[in-house]
Amino acid sequence: MLGEHVEPTGDLGGSVQQGELLSPFPSARGPLATGAIGRPASDWEQRYRRSVITSDTAATAFVVGAIGGFFGVRDAANWHENWAILAFGTELLVLGALALSRSWAPAVLGQGAEEFRRLGRALFAAVVVLSLGGIALTSRNIKLWIFVAIPAIALATMTERYLLRLRLHRQRKEGECLRPVLAAGSPATVRDLITRARKFPHLGWRVDAVCTADGRGLDGDFLDGVPVVGLLTDVARYVRRDGFRVVAVTPDPHWSPDQLQRLAWNLEGSDAEMVVAPVLMEVAGPRLHVDAVLGIPLLRVSMPAFTGGRRVVKAFFDRLGAMFLLLLFSPLMVLVGVLVLLDSRGGALYSQRRVGKDGREFTIFKFRTMVTGAHKARAQLADVDEGAGLLFKVRRDPRVTRVGAVLRRYSLDELPQLFNVLTGSMSLVGPRPPLPEESAAYGPDIRRRLLVKPGLTGLWQISGRSDLPWDEAVRLDLRYVEDWSLALDAVILWKTLRAVLQGQGAY
C-alpha cells in the first residue's frame, strides 16, 4: 500500500516533501500519452501557480488596505509611524516571506498539508520580523499590524487557497488536470497504486502505463485495464518517448540500490519526477528524514511524538477551541436539547463509557438520538448489522428518533463532547473513541490507537465516517497516531466543516 509521502535517498537526486507527489498537471487523452504532454502539463502547472500568487497578493493587499484605511492617520511624527509605509512594508514582508519559504512551489500547491504548513511558517516569520522591527524602531503602531493584520492575512490567504484547491479537485474528478504516471514494479504493488489513484482522483495521479520485471501484467498485456508497455529496464526509454510526468517505483526484487541509482541517472534531463514507495508505507510527514551515514544515504524514521512541547500546544488549543465553540454553539445546544425532549421520552443527554488514552475509560456525552432503552434492543438487530469488524451499524436503525436522525446526519449529537475536550479526556482531533467491548477485542496493532487522546473529529470523519470499511477506519486512525502534527490537525478541522455540512456517511 502506497503512502502519500516519500523522501528519496541521495542516490535519486532531489527531494520530495509531503504533498509534492501530486502537483496539478493536466492529463493526456487516451491510454498512452504522446511526447507532447510535458508542455501542456507545465503550462497548467504555471497557470495554477500564477493564480495562487495573484490570489495571495490580492488578499494581502485587501487586508492591508482595509486596515490602513480604517485605522490610518495622515500625520506621523516619524517615518516609521507613517501608516502608508507600514502598510506597504507589511505587504512586501508577507509576500517576501511567502517566496522565501517556497510557499509557491508548484509541487506543494493543491495537495496535502505541506502547502498550508509552508504558508503558516511564512506568516510566522513575518510576525517575527515585524516584532523585531517594531522593537528596534520603537514604533507605537506596529502592534496593530502584528496582532490584527497578519492573522487577518492568514485567514484570507488560507481561505482563497482552499477555494482554489476545491476547484482543482472538481476538475480532477472530471478527469482533467491529472498527472500521467508510469508505474514500475511488481504487478501486485502496481495494482494497489492503480486502485488508489482511481479511488482518490482529487490527488491528481492517473496511471497510464506499467512496466514490470517480465513485461507482463496479471491480465496478460494489461494490469487492471492499464497497458503493460515493457520491462523495468525500459522505464527511462518510455518516459522520454511518451513524456510521462511521474515515474512511480513500487516494491519489486529487481529494484536494488544500483538499479534505482541508474534509473535516476537515466531520467536526468527529462521532465519526469521519480518517486519511490518506501517499505514503511504508513509512516510519513515529519517523521521521515534522509541522512548520509558513512557515505550511505539512509532513511531515518523518528519516534512518533506522544509527549513534548507540541502536545502541550495541542492541549492548550484543544481547551481554548472547546471553550470558544461551547460559547458559539450554546444557543444551538439549548435548542437541540429542547427538541430532543419534545420528540420522545427520556433525557436530552446520553452518557456512555468509552476508552481513551492509554486504555483509561471515561464517560462521553452526546445528545440522545435513540428511544429510551435502545441498548436492550440491539441483540434483535444483529441480523441487519451493516457494520464491519468490531463496529455495530444499521443504516436505517428503527431505534433512532426523528430528531435523532437529523442530529446524526449533521453530527449535532456530538456537540456535548466539547465538555469532554474541555476537561481533557478528549481532543478536538484524534482517533474515534471506542467502546470498552471494542477495545477489549483489539490486537496489539490496533491498540496503538490508544496512544493518543480520542478526538471529536479525525481522519475517519473527513473520509466517509460510517461508510468506511473497518480496516480502512483502523488504517486512518493508525496513520493519524503515527504522523500527527499541528498542521494535520488544522487541515482535519478545516475539512470537518464540509464533511458535516454534506452529511455523507452519517447514520
Side-chain angles (χ1 to χ4, degrees):
M1 287 103 41
L2 296 175
E4 297 179 6
H5 172 92
V6 277
E7 292 187 15
T9 64
D11 288 340
L12 304 183
S15 90
V16 183
Q17 305 295 330
Q18 185 174 10
E20 291 189 356
L21 303 186
L22 306 170
S23 299
F25 288 89
S27 60
R29 298 295 180 185
L32 279 177
T34 66
I37 55 177
R39 288 191 298 275
S42 179
D43 290 344
W44 162 257
E45 181 182 38
Q46 294 305 319
R47 284 198 302 272
Y48 188 78
R49 180 173 180 266
R50 285 195 297 269
S51 67
V52 172
I53 294 175
T54 302
S55 298
D56 285 350
T57 304
T60 304
F62 174 79
V63 171
V64 168
I67 292 178
F70 188 78
F71 294 100
V73 293
R74 294 183 178 276
D75 298 328
N78 302 296
W79 66 269
H80 51 77
E81 302 288 350
N82 186 283
W83 285 82
I85 293 178
L86 286 174
F88 184 68
T90 299
E91 180 165 5
L92 285 183
L93 178 61
V94 169
L95 296 179
L98 290 174
L100 291 175
S101 66
R102 300 182 67 243
S103 298
W104 295 325
V108 303
L109 295 178
Q111 168 58 36
E114 181 64 20
E115 176 182 1
F116 295 101
R117 186 180 293 114
R118 293 190 186 188
L119 181 61
R121 285 200 300 262
L123 295 174
F124 180 76
V127 168
V128 172
V129 173
L130 274 177
S131 301
L132 294 177
I135 293 173
L137 299 173
T138 63
S139 175
R140 295 173 299 174
N141 297 327
I142 202 70
K143 293 180 181 179
L144 181 67
W145 301 96
I146 294 173
F147 296 107
V148 178
I150 298 297
I153 290 172
L155 179 62
T157 52
M158 288 184 180
T159 300
E160 49 91 358
R161 285 196 182 209
Y162 181 70
L163 294 176
L164 288 174
R165 179 178 292 196
L166 286 181
R167 185 179 67 179
L168 176 64
H169 288 182
R170 284 195 298 269
Q171 292 174 323
R172 286 176 170 173
K173 290 178 181 178
E174 296 171 356
E176 303 174 359
C177 307
L178 299 173
R179 300 182 71 183
V181 178
L182 172 64
S186 70
T189 56
V190 169
R191 181 172 59 181
D192 183 61
L193 172 62
I194 294 171
T195 300
R196 288 173 181 257
R198 290 172 176 171
K199 184 178 181 181
F200 306 107
H202 67 279
L203 297 179
W205 275 19
R206 188 188 68 193
V207 181
D208 282 341
V210 174
C211 287
T212 61
D214 59 359
R216 303 284 291 175
L218 298 176
D219 306 317
D221 293 334
F222 290 86
L223 184 59
D224 278 5
V226 180
V228 180
V229 297
L231 305 173
L232 295 179
T233 53
D234 300 327
V235 170
R237 178 165 62 90
Y238 283 105
V239 168
R240 292 184 180 279
R241 190 193 73 179
D242 297 322
F244 291 99
R245 300 296 300 184
V246 178
V247 177
V249 177
T250 67
D252 187 276
H254 170 82
W255 294 123
S256 65
D258 289 341
Q259 293 289 353
L260 286 174
Q261 187 177 58
R262 190 170 294 110
L263 175 60
W265 289 341
N266 291 336
L267 291 176
E268 288 179 359
S270 71
D271 292 329
E273 177 185 26
M274 177 177 170
V275 296
V276 181
V279 177
L280 297 171
M281 305 313 300
E282 297 301 334
V283 179
R287 293 185 57 202
L288 289 184
H289 311 274
V290 176
D291 290 332
V293 180
L294 300 176
I296 304 173
L298 298 177
L299 186 66
R300 179 169 57 86
V301 182
S302 60
M303 296 294 292
F306 302 126
T307 59
R310 289 189 301 154
R311 288 290 176 182
V312 173
V313 174
K314 177 181 172 69
F316 171 77
F317 279 105
D318 277 342
R319 287 173 167 81
L320 185 65
M323 187 180 303
F324 171 76
L325 292 175
L326 282 171
L327 291 174
L328 178 65
F329 291 121
S330 55
L332 176 61
M333 293 174 69
V334 172
L335 175 62
V336 169
V338 172
L339 292 176
V340 170
L341 292 174
L342 294 176
D343 184 52
S344 61
R345 292 193 307 167
L349 293 178
Y350 173 73
S351 63
Q352 191 178 46
R353 297 296 289 174
R354 294 293 180 101
V355 179
K357 186 177 183 296
D358 299 327
R360 292 190 294 267
E361 291 191 15
F362 68 98
T363 300
I364 200 173
F365 298 100
K366 302 175 70 174
F367 282 118
R368 182 174 57 83
T369 59
M370 291 185 174
V371 297
T372 304
H375 62 284
K376 298 178 182 178
R378 173 171 169 172
Q380 302 173 9
L381 300 173
D383 294 338
V384 293
D385 180 15
E386 301 176 45
L390 302 176
L391 292 178
F392 178 86
K393 286 287 183 180
V394 178
R395 188 175 297 272
R396 291 180 175 83
D397 197 322
R399 302 171 298 168
V400 177
T401 63
R402 290 173 301 175
V403 170
V406 176
L407 298 183
R408 287 189 170 207
R409 178 173 178 80
Y410 297 104
S411 297
L412 296 176
D413 60 316
E414 299 177 1
L415 286 177
Q417 293 176 35
L418 289 170
F419 289 105
N420 292 107
V421 178
L422 193 62
T423 56
S425 55
M426 290 183 64
S427 175
L428 288 177
V429 182
R432 187 187 65 86
L435 294 165
E437 54 267 30
E438 292 177 25
S439 175
Y442 282 175
D445 294 343
I446 304 180
R447 289 197 69 83
R448 289 186 63 82
R449 299 170 73 187
L450 306 180
L451 291 174
V452 298
K453 291 181 182 180
L456 187 64
T457 185
L459 288 174
W460 48 273
Q461 175 85 333
I462 63 175
S463 304
R465 295 196 268 186
S466 296
D467 285 340
L468 284 178
W470 166 253
D471 56 347
E472 181 67 10
V474 170
R475 189 187 72 83
L476 289 173
D477 280 346
L478 293 179
R479 177 188 161 194
Y480 177 82
V481 173
E482 298 290 341
D483 301 333
W484 169 82
S485 68
L486 293 172
L488 179 60
D489 276 5
V491 171
I492 291 173
L493 287 172
W494 181 262
K495 290 186 175 182
T496 296
L497 178 62
R498 184 178 62 176
V500 168
L501 291 177
Q502 291 178 342
Q504 184 177 1
Y507 53 88

